[in-house]
Amino acid sequence: MKNIKFPTPHTILLLIAGLVALLTWFIPAGKFDALQYQKSSNSFTYSHLEEQKTLPATQESLAELGIKIPLEKFTNGDISKPISVPGTYTELPAQPQGVLAFFKSPIRGITQSSDIILFVLILGGVIGIMNFTGAFDAGIAWLAKKLKGKEYWLIFVVISLIAAGGTTFGLAEETIAFYPILIPIFLAARYDAIVALACVYIGSSIGTMCSTVNPFSVIIASDAAGINWTTGFAGRLLMLVCGIVICVIYILRYANKVQKDPTKSIIYDQKEMIENIFGSSTSDTHVLTGRLRIILTVFTLCFVVMIYGVSRLEWWFEEMTVVFLVGAILIGFLAKMKEENFVTTFIKGANDLLGVAFIIGIARGVSILMEQGLISDTILQNASEFTTGMPKGIFANVLLFIYSGLSFFIPSSSGMAVLTMPIMSPLADTVGIGREIIVNTYLYGMGLFSFINPTGLILASLAIVKVGYDRWLKFALPLVVILTIFTMISLTIQVYL
């Protein structure tokens, strides 16, 4: 048994894709009617199966469809994607996904994820250039000396800053850029790669789980539920603060054990391998010269510009990729690299993250199988029927777990919001609770499962850090249990207040 190794992230995702393909043979196919606002004609497009018709963009049209969402949520662009129309579920002929569809899914996933895949490859190229210049080694050596005896501040600051990004503008996929930079810093502080991974990934997860003003989750979900996003804001803010505190304490306890005794590390057997890849030297030979300081400044500004663009200018992966490509060229000039050497180093760096790029594509392929098999709406319909008539305290907590389960099939927060909120939010009226509770169960349910969701970002993150999924589960599952219990208590209190 000791010789049996846990599968790689790529194999795990392919096994999940096979399971999903198999489910399409047993779960009935079905679909809700959809409604989408057309800005150009100021009208609604109503889709029933293959048929479409145009409806006037009025509050009366929404009322006739049983949609309690203010018209302005559509007209001002808050809801731009098609939403599900409650009470319109139609069972359809089965669409089982066979062997050919299974093998096509990762290819189609890679095609549809080309923007984020290109971002990851360009990022790898930048990291390769930075490693060549020696700026990382010098900067890490300098930082290690400054933080000596106060390394715990690194954990608190990284989690807090990334959680702030998660709760405000949905910082998630962009965190992939932080791992190659932060891992050497945490290793220099005598922590392991799990601590670096946890600070970034858990920071992002707790931030998005307790979103306060995140337009891609809480705002679009509140709009689709027909309420103002500020409703329930205080409760989510309190959850965010408490969640960060719980996560910091949990990670600190583990980090302190590893710092005092490296053999306590969950990945101790990988210590030498990871340090050879990312480096952890704090030698005096790494001198932070003026030129290297400028290079580090340019590299840091890439992140500042990226975060500003995403949060303020509505940038997405195309613009973010351009920022790092320009950054790489500037760093190459500053380091006085020859053209051939620059290209070779850049390509080698991109190649180092090629495995991560494939993981992103395969994960998207899983979602494609579900879309083509038409089983997502069936699962949603059954979930809404299952919770109907429950006492409100039980209802809220059951819905929490339903959203966790749904997020395995629909890992996109905005996609989950527009698909489920028009169906689930009216259930709040029947059990006598505010619709903000439905929004909260959606946020918390997706957020809790995101810590370990193999169809989300965790496998891509683990591939960068060179840590197995089984090791991550061993580290993260106790924290997920603690947060789940805390969330259930919090939801119950909110329901009865």
Side-chain angles (χ1 to χ4, degrees):
M1 291 294 291
K2 289 184 178 179
N3 294 327
I4 298 176
K5 289 188 175 182
F6 199 79
T8 63
H10 306 78
T11 303
I12 292 171
L13 281 172
L14 286 173
L15 289 172
I16 291 173
L19 173 62
V20 169
L22 188 63
L23 287 175
T24 63
W25 289 78
F26 298 99
I27 298 177
K31 196 171 182 64
F32 284 99
D33 293 352
L35 187 75
Q36 184 171 22
Y37 176 71
Q38 305 295 341
K39 186 177 181 180
S40 58
S41 59
N42 189 32
S43 63
F44 287 121
T45 297
Y46 184 91
S47 302
H48 172 70
L49 304 182
E50 300 300 322
E51 301 174 2
Q52 289 188 344
K53 63 179 179 180
T54 301
L55 300 176
T58 63
Q59 197 66 54
E60 289 74 20
S61 295
L62 294 172
E64 288 175 6
L65 296 173
I67 299 174
K68 297 181 179 180
I69 301 175
L71 179 64
E72 58 268 20
K73 299 294 184 183
F74 294 91
T75 56
N76 64 15
D78 290 336
I79 302 176
S80 56
K81 295 182 178 181
I83 67 166
S84 302
V85 179
T88 62
Y89 174 78
T90 304
E91 191 166 325
L92 300 172
Q95 299 290 327
Q97 301 298 294
V99 175
L100 183 59
F102 167 74
F103 283 111
K104 280 184 176 180
S105 65
I107 308 302
R108 290 173 174 171
I110 290 170
T111 301
Q112 292 190 17
S113 305
S114 58
D115 52 354
I116 185 172
I117 286 174
L118 188 58
F119 170 72
V120 168
L121 294 178
I122 296 296
L123 175 65
V126 178
I127 300 301
I129 298 296
M130 285 295 294
N131 285 331
F132 178 86
T133 65
F136 274 158
D137 290 336
I140 291 164
W142 174 84
L143 187 62
K145 291 178 182 178
K146 293 292 182 182
L147 289 176
K148 193 171 181 64
K150 301 176 183 177
E151 294 89 352
Y152 56 86
W153 277 107
L154 189 61
I155 294 172
F156 176 76
V157 170
V158 170
I159 292 178
S160 299
L161 288 177
I162 292 182
T167 194
T168 52
F169 64 90
L171 183 68
E173 290 92 344
E174 300 88 345
T175 58
I176 288 174
F178 295 109
Y179 294 113
I181 301 96
L182 289 176
I183 292 171
I185 296 173
F186 278 84
L187 294 179
R190 293 179 292 116
Y191 297 133
D192 64 7
I194 284 280
V195 178
L197 170 66
C199 288
V200 176
Y201 190 81
I202 289 177
S204 170
S205 296
I206 197 67
T208 52
M209 171 184 165
C210 306
S211 292
T212 50
V213 296
N214 180 0
F216 306 109
S217 59
V218 66
I219 292 181
I220 193 172
S222 298
D223 289 340
I227 60 174
N228 193 295
W229 65 268
T230 57
T231 306
F233 174 85
R236 289 190 290 270
L237 181 61
L238 181 61
M239 274 288 293
L240 175 65
V241 174
C242 294
I244 290 175
V245 170
I246 291 171
C247 292
V248 167
I249 292 173
Y250 184 86
I251 296 172
L252 266 175
R253 287 188 62 191
Y254 172 81
N256 288 337
K257 284 195 300 182
V258 172
Q259 194 177 46
K260 292 175 183 177
D261 182 2
T263 63
K264 299 293 184 182
S265 169
I266 291 173
I267 54 171
Y268 179 68
D269 59 321
Q270 297 178 258
K271 184 175 187 292
E272 185 176 344
M273 180 269 289
I274 291 175
E275 288 183 354
N276 286 337
I277 294 173
F278 294 102
S280 62
S281 174
T282 57
S283 169
D284 291 335
T285 59
H286 298 299
V287 180
L288 190 60
T289 64
R291 184 188 299 275
L292 294 182
R293 287 177 187 271
I294 294 172
I295 288 173
L296 284 171
T297 300
V298 170
F299 183 70
T300 303
L301 284 174
C302 289
F303 289 88
V304 174
V305 172
M306 177 191 77
I307 292 172
Y308 179 80
V310 171
S311 60
R312 297 291 183 182
L313 305 177
E314 298 184 355
W315 282 7
W316 201 228
F317 284 105
E318 183 176 330
E319 292 84 1
M320 290 190 293
T321 303
V322 170
V323 169
F324 281 99
L325 179 60
V326 172
I329 294 170
L330 287 175
I331 292 166
F333 274 117
L334 289 169
K336 296 182 178 179
M337 294 180 68
K338 294 181 179 180
E339 178 268 339
E340 184 179 354
N341 197 12
F342 174 87
V343 172
T344 303
T345 304
F346 188 91
I347 291 174
K348 184 179 181 300
N351 182 64
D352 289 340
L353 291 188
L354 187 59
V356 178
F358 277 122
I359 287 173
I360 292 167
I362 297 171
R364 176 66 186 123
V366 176
S367 299
I368 290 172
L369 282 172
M370 285 182 285
E371 292 167 5
Q372 294 179 335
L374 298 177
I375 63 174
S376 298
D377 283 13
T378 301
I379 295 170
L380 175 59
Q381 170 68 7
N382 290 332
S384 63
E385 290 179 349
F386 176 72
T387 54
T388 301
M390 285 184 176
K392 56 185 179 181
I394 297 175
F395 169 82
N397 285 290
V398 168
L399 200 58
L400 173 75
F401 288 99
I402 286 176
Y403 267 114
S404 288
L406 285 173
S407 66
F408 174 83
F409 297 98
I410 314 167
S412 165
S413 59
S414 57
M416 178 77 83
V418 296
L419 176 65
T420 67
M421 276 302 140
I423 309 300
M424 292 299 196
S425 59
L427 299 179
D429 306 334
T430 64
V431 298
I433 60 175
R435 292 192 173 194
E436 72 278 4
I437 299 297
I438 308 295
V439 173
N440 289 350
T441 59
Y442 143 79
L443 288 171
Y444 302 158
M446 284 200 75
L448 285 168
F449 193 57
S450 72
F451 282 74
I452 57 172
N453 186 3
T455 60
L457 281 175
I458 185 58
L459 292 185
S461 302
L462 289 169
I464 296 177
V465 185
K466 312 300 180 186
V467 171
Y469 186 52
D470 56 329
R471 307 295 181 92
W472 175 250
L473 290 178
K474 184 177 180 181
F475 172 81
L477 276 178
L479 175 60
V480 173
V481 172
I482 293 168
L483 287 172
T484 300
I485 294 171
F486 176 75
T487 302
M488 291 176 69
I489 294 170
S490 175
L491 268 177
T492 304
I493 293 172
Q494 289 177 44
V495 164
Y496 287 104
L497 277 180

